[in-house]
Amino acid sequence: MSNSNPYQDDRGNKDRSITNPGGQGTAEVRRKSGPVTAAPDTPFLIGESMTGGYGKGPDILHDCTIAVDRGEIAVIVGPNGAGKSTAMKAVFGMLDVRSGRVLLDGEDITTLTPQDRVIKGMGFVPQTHNIFTSMTVEENLEMGAFIRTDDFRDTMAQVYDLFPILKEKRRQPAGELSGGQRQQVAVGRALMTRPKVLMLDEPTAGVSPIVMDELFDRIIEVARTGIPILMVEQNARQALEIADKGYVLVQGRNAFTDTGKALMADPEVRRSFLGG
Amino acid sequence: MNAMVKNTGLFALVALLIVITGIMQSWNTALLILNMGLISAIMALGVNLQWGFAGLFNVGIMGFVALGGLATVLIAMPPTEGAWAAGGYGIVLGLLMGAATIVAAVMAWARLPKGRVRSLAVLAILIVGFFLYRAVFDPAVNAVEAINPASTGNIGGLGLPILMAWPVGGLLAAGVAWVIGKTALGLRSDYLAIATLGIAEIIIAVMKNEDWLARGVKNVIGLPRPVPLEVDLQRDPEFVERAASFGMDAVTASTIYVKLEYAALFAVVLIILLWMAQKALNSPWGRMMRAIRDNEVAAEAMGKDVTRRHLQVFILGSAICGIAGAMMTTLDGQLTPGTYQPLRFTFLVWVMVIVGGSGNNFGSVLGGFLIWFLWVQVEPIGLWLIGTLTSGMADGALKAHLMDSAAHMRLFTMGLILLLVLRFSPRGLIPEK
Amino acid sequence: MDLLNAFITLANFVIIPAIAYGSQLALGALGVTLIYGILRFSNFAHGDTMAFGTMVTILITWLFQAWGISLGVLPTALLALPFGIAGCAAFVLLTDRAVYRFYRTQKAKPVILVIVSMGVMFIMNGVVRFIIGPDDHNFSDGERFIISARTFRELTGLQEGLAIRTSTGITVITAVVVVALLFWFLNKTRTGKSMRAYSDNEDLALLSGINPERVVLVTWVIVAALATVAGTLYGLDKSFKAFTYFQLLLPIFASAIVGGLGSPVGAIAGGFVIAFSEVTITYAWKKVIVYVLPDGMGPDGLVQLLSTDYKFAVSFIILLVVLLFRPTGLFKGKSV
């Protein structure tokens, strides 16, 4: 314990009459964003040869590149611990990228904080804790639109069109919904900023196969509205089926990169990652 | 700088401060600080056991200290003539009936099938039990309190040597700690802080209001002492002669001699407890406590009964506070329930533990001495400071107000010290290894 | 047997005092519960925050009285209240900048903040005693009663009187207004919703573009306002004494926990539960029972379940019972 931050040492105290552990943030409130520079003629969103890790820890990503272009669904797959989510978080600015850069819509945003990337047009849906459970569905969507100062009723109507069940349950606390519905709230919340690109971290984790299929359908629908989607998926087969582009990561490195169909057809990918 | 050297230096610094007090003010003041410092160190040791070793947040230290004080009266005061015959047994019977009511209610709750019948039955048991208890208890109390209310009016003690009250104070505190711990630590997540905060106030309320017990706010004065009385020493020609050979008058010499004897007694207790706490810290039990503290899930997975361990350490720490409370009342020679205030007896001890270094026994002892020294000396220093600052001001209402208020600088300073240490040296002056 | 007089007695000695005390506790508990929900620790300095705000109000009241400004039948303190709130908010924000903010950037564990709040408690306690002293201050002026017991008896011809003190009326009306405003703010405004979002899920709030420092700032201002209002109302109703306010911490914590920590509705319910239990259990029921029972069957004793000095014990026992049967409090807070 002696090395860790003494202010974070609670001596194992779990006295709920004085401390509230719920909802406490883990993300570091980072220093100010750096400058944004123009980077023309590049893919719409690309994390280019990213190397880095969390804080002062060892590198998890090694020269890893992830990109998605307009109108595409790009999927990151790979075995457990391959750094799939880490790669996405690197694109979103949640870990230190020590070399490489992140470009969005012709701009170099490598030094921006995650909050500023949201303002720049990134929509991010974390894998867990991705809704405000004590707030109603509608309030969740409103909070998604927090940075917008204009009228966002249209966007909300669009989200309700995409996810009709949410409209039905808009007055219910989001925490009372089923797993699949919660994921829809989470995606809906991210859509409220009218993002230029939507990033989903394992949206189907922990839902039943039927719900999973429905979620994939919804994601395709979102993509059809013209928003490029970058997605990390555990269920490689289904994900690659809907993917325009697939990235197979192994130990933080790009192992295979191709279209979804080509990866599905690649015998080596099938043998190693898709179970034959 | 070597840690050992630094720590020795810190203790030497506190010793030096007390010596300076002796030279600048008086040796009586210095020894009084030393004596209360010893007691504070013991309290801090107890709280450190709970917070430092186990992360238990006890904000009811005042209650355990007061129970120790109660023990001195119950053990050392002579029994009140006729009190037991008049109502003592009635009181005991009443209390037993009260306890039986609660036990019966709990058993009914556990045994009866769930439903309205159970709720009604439990309610009925509680109501009937309460009135029966009052019917037996009240007249007995009145009878006891009627006995010579100006000087006694309580059931008195057992007339045993007051030193016996120290361990008994510890036992009393341990008993109450067991009850609190059993309820507050047993739930799904604990709520020890609010429980201890509440119990401490209740203990003080009981001690203030139950006159039959220890005369309530009428106070018990003239507790027997483990050391000779100053006046006896002054009458002793041998003592006067020896004092003269040191170049002291008999009055000063006797007060200092008595305080030194107290200091010796307290030091013995502190050393024993410190030795035991160190042994415990480095024993398999202590290692397990720290393992639980640092990773409860893992400890639980290894089959450790976390709640049981927490209960143990909570009881031990509270018992130590009880012992310290008994010692303090012994030193005062009187029990005055009105003087128990949470800022002084709960939160100040927390300042001692945090400033000294949570998790380190020597740190707590240092914190106890240092903070007690400051608690006593900030007042004259504040007075001097305000006096100096306002010396240029014209006499008037503002100046008078400032001088009057200087005494309250003490609370402010304690808060400031706590915040500064937390901010710049969060592990305390002597950090845990 | 005289049920009407029995009821009037009950109302005069139990219901009305309990409603006033309950409102004061509820306002205090709301402050505690907001800090618990948003800053994630129990603020031991809350009683002293109330004392500080009330002290500023009293000082301004004295100033107004010296200037000859008054509100007629209403206490001058009401006029001074906004200044008290501003003073308290300024002090609390200063504390946040100088003390608490550092621990937020360090992502300190809540229990560390609890210890920090102990330090703040000492400092505030010292400051209040330094400025206004440890003594009792009565700063209520204006008309003492809305209806005095005698007027009531004359009006109704009943044997028993029902007195409604001005401070009681003001307490209840102010509490209702303040609570309504608070709930409107938390549930209907953008800032209020962002506070709830931050309380619910800090990381996601950050991703949504909610500025944590702003949420914390607004929270402290609201807490300072609630504390000052609660403290001033309590002081008008009883009197101001620094130590009493420090001691209010226990019933206030108990109210917040009974209601469910983190739940504003719970804080209000908890405040009234605690207040009503304290008053009913420590009230001597003899008079009411004499009216209710047929003549000559009245009890001999006072029929007081517990002496008034045990009111803290009552808060605590209620707390224990609620926690044993509903660990999350009456209105599901963040599981206690």
Side-chain angles (χ1 to χ4, degrees), chain B residues 84-145:
Chain B
W84 278 95
Y89 299 108
I91 289 174
V92 172
L93 183 67
L95 290 176
L96 284 177
M97 283 173 65
T101 305
I102 292 174
V103 171
V106 170
M107 278 184 33
W109 186 264
R111 298 277 168 82
L112 289 175
K114 211 172 170 167
R116 186 169 301 171
V117 179
R118 179 174 76 166
S119 309
L120 286 176
V122 170
L123 203 64
I125 291 175
L126 285 176
I127 290 174
V128 172
F130 181 79
F131 282 101
L132 281 177
Y133 151 79
R134 289 288 296 254
V136 176
F137 188 70
D138 288 358
V141 165
N142 290 337
V144 169
E145 287 177 1

Side-chain angles (χ1 to χ4, degrees), chain B residues 40-276:
Chain B
S40 302
I42 294 174
M43 290 180 194
L45 211 54
V47 175
N48 182 47
L49 213 55
Q50 297 170 341
W51 167 244
F53 286 23
L56 297 177
F57 209 91
N58 176 0
V59 272
I61 304 160
M62 173 180 74
F64 300 111
V65 170
L67 281 175
L70 180 63
T72 58
V73 173
L74 297 182
I75 293 296
M77 286 306 276
T80 303
E81 200 103 345
W84 278 95
Y89 299 108
I91 289 174
V92 172
L93 183 67
L95 290 176
L96 284 177
M97 283 173 65
T101 305
I102 292 174
V103 171
V106 170
M107 278 184 33
W109 186 264
R111 298 277 168 82
L112 289 175
K114 211 172 170 167
R116 186 169 301 171
V117 179
R118 179 174 76 166
S119 309
L120 286 176
V122 170
L123 203 64
I125 291 175
L126 285 176
I127 290 174
V128 172
F130 181 79
F131 282 101
L132 281 177
Y133 151 79
R134 289 288 296 254
V136 176
F137 188 70
D138 288 358
V141 165
N142 290 337
V144 169
E145 287 177 1
I147 303 171
N148 194 6
S151 60
T152 52
N154 67 335
I155 55 171
L158 301 172
L160 295 169
I162 194 154
L163 286 184
M164 276 190 66
W166 297 3
V168 171
L171 284 177
L172 209 55
V176 172
W178 180 78
V179 176
I180 303 175
K182 215 47 187 160
T183 36
L185 292 170
L187 293 189
R188 199 171 46 191
S189 53
D190 70 53
Y191 56 95
L192 195 66
I194 188 72
T196 47
L197 193 71
I199 285 284
E201 291 293 346
I202 292 176
I203 290 172
I204 301 301
V206 168
M207 283 176 56
K208 277 185 185 167
N209 293 297
E210 302 301 315
D211 288 5
W212 59 269
L213 191 59
R215 304 196 70 226
V217 285
K218 289 186 290 186
N219 303 339
V220 175
I221 52 169
L223 283 166
R225 301 172 19 136
V227 295
L229 280 168
E230 285 87 344
V231 280
D232 291 343
L233 286 175
Q234 288 157 24
R235 281 199 211 110
D236 180 357
E238 203 181 323
F239 181 82
V240 176
E241 196 178 316
R242 211 180 311 153
S245 73
F246 281 96
M248 282 196 277
D249 64 291
V251 176
T252 320
S254 65
T255 50
I256 288 178
Y257 176 80
V258 166
K259 290 198 176 71
L260 280 174
E261 268 200 10
Y262 272 122
L265 280 173
F266 294 163
V268 168
V269 177
L270 175 63
I271 288 166
I272 292 173
L273 287 174
L274 182 61
W275 178 77
M276 281 166 61

Side-chain angles (χ1 to χ4, degrees), chain B residues 354-372:
Chain B
I354 301 291
V355 168
S358 351
N360 190 315
N361 292 322
F362 289 99
S364 312
V365 172
L366 177 79
F369 280 113
L370 182 65
I371 294 300
W372 181 257

